[in-house]
Every structure is written in structure tokens, then in C-alpha cells.
Amino acid sequence: MRMLMLKPLSWVLPLVLLAPTAPAVAAGTAPAATSWTLPGVGDVGASVESADGRLRLRVSSGGTEALSVADLGLVTSTTDLSKDLTLRSQNHRTLRTAYRMTTGKQRERTVLQEESRLTFSNPSGAQLALVVRVSDDGVAFRYELPGAATVQRETGGFELAPDATSWLQPYNPQHENEHAEATAATAPTGEFGHPALFRRGSTYTLLAESGLDGRYSGGRLTHTQGSGRYDVRLADAAVASTGVTSWRTMIVGDLATVTGSTLVDDLAEPARFTGTSWVQPGLSSWSWLAENSSPRDFERQKDYVDAAARNNLSYVLVDEGWSPVWLPELTRYARARGVEVLIWFHWTNLQTQAQRDEWLPKLVAWGVKGVKVDFMESDSQARYQWYDAILADTAKHRLMINFHGSTVPHGLARTWPHLMTMEGVRGEENGLNATRNTILPFTRNVIGSMDYTPTRFATASNPKPQTTNAHELALPVVYESGWTHIVSTPEELASQPEGERFLRQLPTAWDETRLLSGTPGVETVIARRDGARWFAGGIRSGTGGTVTVPLTFLGGTGRWLVEIVTENQGALSRSSAVRRAADRLDLLVADRGGFVLQACPYSPGLTTCDKPHREPPRTSVLVDVSADEVATGGTVELQGVFVARTGGSVRDLALAPELPAGWSVVAGKPVRKSLLREGESVSGRWTVKLNPAGVRGDVELVVAGTYTAPDGRRIHSADAARVFAEPLPPKGSTYVSDQPWTDETNGYGRPQQRDRSHGGDNEPATLSIAGKTFGKGVGSHAPSSLTTWLGGACSRFFAEVGVDDGTTTGEGSVTFVVLGDGRQLAGTPVIRAGETAHLLDVDVTGVKRLTLATTDGGNGKNSDHADWGTASLTCAP
């Protein structure tokens, strides 16, 4: 959205919608042809016309029609509201709004929209309101019904000039196909995802959706080759609508207008909460793409933390494979280095309210700041209802969130300010493609933050001929993402010192964004401002050459220090010059190359725009406890020692316990120290109590020192002592899946599943062995282990075990083992896929810890989906 100079509210006069092509008619009489010109904004205009009771919306830019939408309307389960429509009423209002984003191409947004509402009825008396909003960067419409209804389909079709150039992405639920260039008519028959880009002359049109949540269903575009028409198909055959659809959004104008548009956010609902100081965009180190196995490696993750600390990256993202055994320790290590931790989840592990209630408080207790949730891969209403639920829950726990394997943005980042980014793109993890890179700034990234996972530098052992190092360095500027996950290894980053230096300075949320030049599929040059500093990046897809960069975006008449990073035979190098806004740069880039620059106001003697970066002092906390096991109502003595080791003094230190929920300090107070110099230490001692509602199992009693580092940051340095808090024993007849687990490991992918199979999303969720299904039990993948506390209160364990029917190959083979307090109580021979369930009926009298384990059957773990059907306990009442 371009910034507008708005006139006072008294300037707004009542507007009458005109019908220039036909006289007014009595209500209830359908005219042969009537049109209504709607109030426009700037160069953008719109009109609605009715011909024989069918509606069409026309959209213009600069006085020329950009597209129209024919056959507007809905079909519900009870009526057809797409034909024989008669105007019943019309009204208009001017909307002026201002809001602030935590992420995005422009933090502060000022919006002017002209809204027209035309209400129609069909011969049966059913009513449909067509609501149209016109802004200076496009037009949007939605349908509103008098009440709830089951929507079966939308009938409106977007009609583009047949010869308009198109850049379309064949639809799939994860939105990860490549864009293909064609024309509106010659594009193949099929389904295409939002957003869809078209160009006729110098006017571009981007089709998108906005205001889409669990009250409606996601849409895609359908097309028949030879036609310029694109219809909407909903993901669900029947949508339980509250009576309001999502916004069909048409961004129109020149390429700069489309690229800079905020229309999708402008149409979305306002923020659900204020007080966003805990929401922090930033760069993140991410190891999975370069080293798939590294998220399972605690020591290797520490290397990524160290690289993040060295390079001023705010976060480290620990992807699939992390273990709850060591993740709290990694989080403490990272936070002491000034780095926060984000962790990956398969969405099915946060699918239910119970799962979220279990995991989210635990993450907060560990010090995790956000989650990446993956593999949703659906545009259905049910999936959007899940998005609504997890957004509300993570906001409640002050956890930021990234949706990966997801739909595309629909304005949710305005409604939920802690939503930092979404994938919905064929990103760098799908391979390098310079042509793709120069299309995405004008398509997917227009509508919201894009989790592309860019910037892997080439080395001698990892050459990347598809792009260059300068091209890769430019991507975090060319692309906007509240969290930007850098995929270079620590060693690859260190191989390019000027790349590291530039990344240390780079923000990920912006005050202003401008397209400097570009052609989809060929070249993109974008400038973004953060405060007084400008950053710009440029990329090309084909043959190298000179890229001209006008510096007019700097503005004013003063001088600017401009620092430029380019590339020579793979090595990034930096140069600088003092320039004015009237100047231009002519930069030579390589084939599929790029460049970046940083600019700041110049004053005599200034040699760099860099803000100083200083790593926090090296500190440590030592923790000791008086006992390693505690029962309900019991206490332990907790001691903590904070040591300032190297790297400078710490100020305003507060040393205190951070206890699990339901624990309390019954003696001792925080220790405070205004100044602690290198080599000095301070200690504290506390008595802590396990209350009846306290967290149990293997818990960590943390002592943390929070202090102010020399650069002004508040740093959290902590360590913990492990204590086993005896859980309350089970009572009566119960199921293992209903009990807390004190320990759990799994052989592949997601953790073990309660009352559902471990298989993939396309496999049946019901536990099933040789055709016999189980409503209760545990789904695992060998080798696996889970432990639950019996406390000597139970006498019998029963289960029917076998390989889950979701295993489609003959490879599945598993053995099952039951252990009590580490001693084997029962076991099975190797059980293979398709074999009937084996019965386990085990005496567990006196057992405190019950462990259920599986092995891979001796032929590897492929397809070893193991089910503990029923898995029940008989315990004292």
C-alpha cells in the first residue's frame, strides 16, 4: 500500500452509486442491463454491471480495464445466488485505517479504501450482498449472506485478456511447484495456486485471497486452455460458512505498485492482541538443509549456535530430530551466547488441544521462543480451523510461530502478530533456480512473509553453478520474511567474511520497501529501509552484465555512505563511496549473479554503516541439589553459583531459581549484584518444594542469572540439576496412552502417538493389526521406548501387539519388550507385517517404572510401524 496523504474526515461526503447505462427501476424488476460505477481510489476504479440478472465486476487501472469478474455469486445447499439477481439496496462508506505490523515490507500502514455494498435477491427471495473495496493498489470483493449457510461453490470467474502474459504455479496443497510463463489463454488446462500474476502492456494483475481462516475454505484457480477465464474452486465440496466468504483480491497497477502492495494485509482482521514486545523478527541459523542429520547431534547444534552468536543472528532453528533429553541444555547454552532457540514440530504432534496443552508450556519452561510447524499441506476448512486454534494457543504462551509445508499468507500476520513467516513456496530446499528466484518477488512474496530458507555459500567441496555467492547473499534482502533462516554451515559462512559481515547488519522487518527495477524471471532489484539505513539487493537469472541502480530511493540532497558487496570468482568483496540520491550505480554482476548494498547518512570521518556487534561475555552457572529424588510435599536444597568468566563485566545481575510449574521456593531470595567483573562469582541457596500439582517425572531445577551485557542486551545464563519427582501412581483400570510418560524415544519422525498409528498423514490414523482395530493404544516406530510411572501400585499390564496395517511393504518387522525397573518381564519373537496380534499379559506387581520398548527385528527400521493395541493397566483403586 502506498502511503497516502489523507484529508480530514469532514471532507468525506455521502456518495451516490451511479447507474449510467440504464435508468433506475422498481425493486423486484430485473433490468436487461444496468451498471453501477463504484468510488475509486487513485488510478484504480471499479464498476458492477448486471445483464439479465447476472453480475460482472470490472476493474480498471489508469483508466484502462485490467480484468473483469463474470457471473459473480454463490451456490449454497438451498439456493442459487448467481443468476436472476435483482438489486435491493446499495450503500457506501469510506474506510480509513492505520495499523502496525511486527513483520513485513512496511511496519506502519495507512490505508484508504472505498467500500460499496450492493445487496441482491433471487426470485425465491434469498439475498446476497456483494461487498467491493477499492484501494490505490487494487480491488477486492467478498460475498455476505444474511446468516450461516453451506456454500457449495463460488461462480465468479476472472477474465483476463487472452494474450496477457501469465506466471502461474500449478496447484498442490503445499504450494511448492515452479511458476511457468505463458499467456492467460495458452496456460494449460488445470488448477493453479494463488497468487497468480498477469501482465497486459504495463499493467500487472495479481490474483490472491485475503481474510481466509477457519470460517471458510481455501480456493484455487481452474482454467481451460484457450480461454482467458480463471474460475475459483474451493478445497471443500461443502463449506460451513458463517455467512461471510474470504476476499477475492486483485492487485493492479505497474510492477512497483504490485510488488509494494499491502492489500492482502489491509483486508485482514485487526490484531487479536497488543503488547508485542516479545515478538522479535530476525535472522536464524538452520542446519537441516545443509546437514540433514545434524538436528539429532547436540554438539553440532552448538556449532550452529556459536556461528549465530558470532554473526549476530538472533536465532538457531533446531529441525526434525531434536531430543527433549538435550534440548533444554542446548537452549540454555544458546541463550547464554545471546541466541534464542526455535524448534520444529510435525503438525500432528500439535494437532489436538491436549497435545498443545502438553507441549507449549513445556517449551516455555525450556526457554524456547518459537516453533516451526510443518506438513499441514491442505487448504481445507478443517485445516484452517486448526490454524486458528494453534495461533490462539501459541499467542497465549507467547511463542512465535512459522508455518512450513503450509498454505500461503492470507493476512494472518496482521491478525496474529506473532506469525513470523510461512512457507507455501518452492524454496531453496527444493534446489536452486535463478529464474524462480526472480519470479517470487512479484508473486508469492507480495502477499506476505516467505520462508524461502536462502543463502548457502558455495565452497570448493560444494560448488553451486545454479547461482553465485552474491546472488545467495542478496536473497535475504530481495525476499521478505520475519524469520529468515540462513542455510550455510558455520564453515561455509566463515569462508565468506564479507558475507558474514553483511548478514550481521541485516534486519528482517522493514519501514519501507521499494522496487528499483525488475522483470519477472529475469531480474529483481529491491531496496528496503530500516530506520535511517537502506539495504538493497539485486539478482539476475541469466547472462551477467551491468545492473544500473538509481539512488533516488535515498531521498534528500545530503550525502550517503554506500557500501557495496559484489563478487569476483566466487569471493565476496566490499567497496564503499560517498554518493547522493541523484547518483546512480553501474554494477557488474556475473551470470546468475547479484549484489547487495548498505547505505547510511554520511558525516565526515564515517567509514562504515555497520552498527557494532559484540558477543556477550562468557559466563557459567553451576547448580547442585541435596537429593536426586523427591516425593509429593518433599523439599530439596538448591544451590547456584554464577561465574563471569571472560569477555567483559556484567551488570544488573539477578540470580534466582526458575522452577517447573507447581513447584515453589519456600526459603531463599534472588541474589542481586550491580556489577560483576571478569573472574568474579556470586552464589545463592534456596529450598524448593514439590507441591501436589507440580510437574513430575525427570525434571530440571534451573538456576538462571539474567544480566545486562556491555552492548545493552539482557542475557540469560543458566544451568540445571535433574531431579526425579515421583508422579502420582495410576488408579484402577486405565490405559498407558492416558498416563504421563516420563521418557519417550522413537525410531523415526514424530514421537510415539497416543491412540493412533505412527504412520504418515496418508495412512489410516486408527491402530490396526491384521485387520483388527484398537481405539486405545500407542503407535510407535521401532526402535522405540517409553516409560510410565506405576509407583508399585499396579498388578497387570495387557496389550495386543504387532505391525500396523498402514505398513504397505513387506519390510515391517518388530519385536516388543516389556521391562519393569530395567528388568525384562516379557517379550515377543519377531513379528512381521500382516501377522495377527500377539498377546502380552504381564505381572507388574511392585514395579515402579514400566518401560515398553521395540526393536527393528534385525533388518533395519524401514516400515517398522509398531502398535501396542489396548495397552492397559490394572492398578489399585
Side-chain angles (χ1 to χ4, degrees), residues 2-352:
R2 294 187 295 254
M3 299 296 290
L4 301 173
M5 297 300 293
L6 301 181
K7 298 184 179 181
L9 188 60
S10 59
W11 167 75
V12 180
L13 300 175
L15 294 173
V16 178
L17 303 183
L18 304 178
T21 62
V25 296
T29 303
T34 304
S35 68
W36 301 269
T37 300
L38 311 182
V41 178
D43 291 336
V44 179
S47 64
V48 175
E49 66 181 37
S50 173
D52 296 324
R54 291 185 178 271
L55 304 179
R56 179 184 293 269
L57 172 65
R58 297 187 183 276
V59 176
S60 63
S61 175
T64 301
E65 183 171 304
L67 77 159
S68 68
V69 190
D71 305 314
L72 292 159
L74 292 175
V75 176
T76 73
S77 60
T78 59
T79 191
D80 187 340
L81 286 162
S82 67
K83 60 184 180 181
D84 302 323
L85 297 177
T86 302
L87 181 68
R88 290 295 183 182
S89 65
Q90 54 180 308
N91 55 63
H92 169 76
R93 60 176 179 162
T94 298
L95 301 176
R96 289 184 171 84
T97 56
Y99 63 96
R100 180 176 175 83
M101 295 284 289
T102 56
T103 62
K105 64 187 79 173
Q106 181 180 321
R107 289 188 182 93
E108 301 291 342
R109 312 279 179 89
T110 304
V111 183
L112 169 64
Q113 294 177 336
E114 300 289 355
E115 180 184 279
S116 303
R117 180 187 180 92
L118 289 77
T119 301
F120 299 88
S121 64
N122 65 12
S124 68
Q127 292 192 357
L128 170 78
L130 174 66
V131 182
V132 182
R133 288 190 185 174
V134 182
S135 189
D136 70 337
D137 53 354
V139 175
F141 69 91
R142 73 181 182 191
Y143 305 109
E144 297 181 7
L145 302 172
T150 300
V151 175
Q152 294 179 331
R153 60 189 176 94
E154 296 182 25
T155 57
F158 299 95
E159 294 188 346
L160 289 301
D163 61 350
T165 305
S166 64
W167 291 268
L168 302 175
Q169 181 188 61
Y171 175 80
N172 65 7
Q174 55 270 57
H175 301 265
E176 290 185 5
N177 283 324
E178 298 282 10
H179 286 79
E181 182 176 341
T183 69
T186 61
T189 297
E191 295 184 339
F192 298 95
H194 291 106
L197 181 65
F198 302 87
R199 180 189 67 208
R200 183 90 187 283
S202 61
T203 299
Y204 287 79
T205 298
L206 189 72
L207 303 182
E209 297 175 296
S210 181
L212 181 53
D213 55 27
R215 294 170 297 178
Y216 204 60
S217 178
R220 64 203 70 161
L221 299 172
T222 66
H223 176 247
T224 300
Q225 191 170 45
S227 167
R229 175 166 171 149
Y230 289 78
D231 289 289
V232 174
R233 176 174 296 169
L234 299 176
D236 297 284
V239 182
S241 169
T242 61
V244 179
T245 72
S246 59
W247 292 100
R248 299 284 156 221
T249 307
M250 298 158 282
I251 301 170
V252 296
D254 60 21
L255 192 57
T257 298
V258 170
T259 307
S261 172
T262 61
L263 183 57
V264 168
D265 290 335
D266 298 342
L267 293 162
E269 291 192 357
R272 297 286 178 87
F273 63 88
T274 56
T276 59
S277 60
W278 57 277
V279 179
Q280 296 294 326
L283 292 174
S284 172
S285 180
W286 181 48
S287 69
W288 181 89
L289 182 57
E291 301 174 328
N292 293 152
S293 63
S294 62
R296 298 178 180 271
D297 187 338
F298 171 68
E299 293 299 329
R300 185 55 172 160
Q301 288 305 302
K302 290 169 65 176
D303 293 339
Y304 279 85
V305 168
D306 292 342
R310 183 178 70 246
N311 291 304
N312 198 31
L313 307 186
S314 301
Y315 301 100
V316 61
L317 169 61
V318 189
D319 213 277
E320 185 273 326
W322 60 268
S323 169
V325 173
W326 54 254
L327 188 72
E329 183 179 352
L330 179 71
T331 302
R332 292 191 292 270
Y333 178 84
R335 299 185 75 189
R337 306 281 281 117
V339 177
E340 301 290 357
V341 171
L342 316 172
I343 63 171
W344 175 96
F345 273 88
H346 195 289
W347 83 278
T348 56
N349 291 317
L350 295 173
Q351 183 175 3
T352 68

Side-chain angles (χ1 to χ4, degrees), residues 758-845:
H758 180 267
D761 292 338
N762 295 325
E763 296 182 24
T766 302
L767 295 159
S768 176
I769 303 172
K772 184 175 182 178
T773 60
F774 303 87
K776 301 293 290 183
V778 177
S780 62
H781 192 295
S784 68
S785 173
L786 72 83
T787 299
T788 187
W789 177 258
L790 304 187
C794 302
S795 59
R796 178 175 179 256
F797 166 75
F798 175 84
E800 297 183 58
V801 300
V803 177
D804 189 84
D805 290 339
T807 300
T808 57
T809 72
E811 295 181 4
S813 62
V814 180
T815 66
F816 294 79
V817 181
V818 180
L819 301 107
D821 297 325
R823 178 173 59 90
Q824 182 169 331
L825 304 179
T828 72
V830 174
I831 303 173
R832 303 188 184 279
E835 293 184 11
T836 58
H838 287 227
L839 299 182
L840 290 172
D841 194 341
V842 185
D843 184 352
V844 294
T845 303

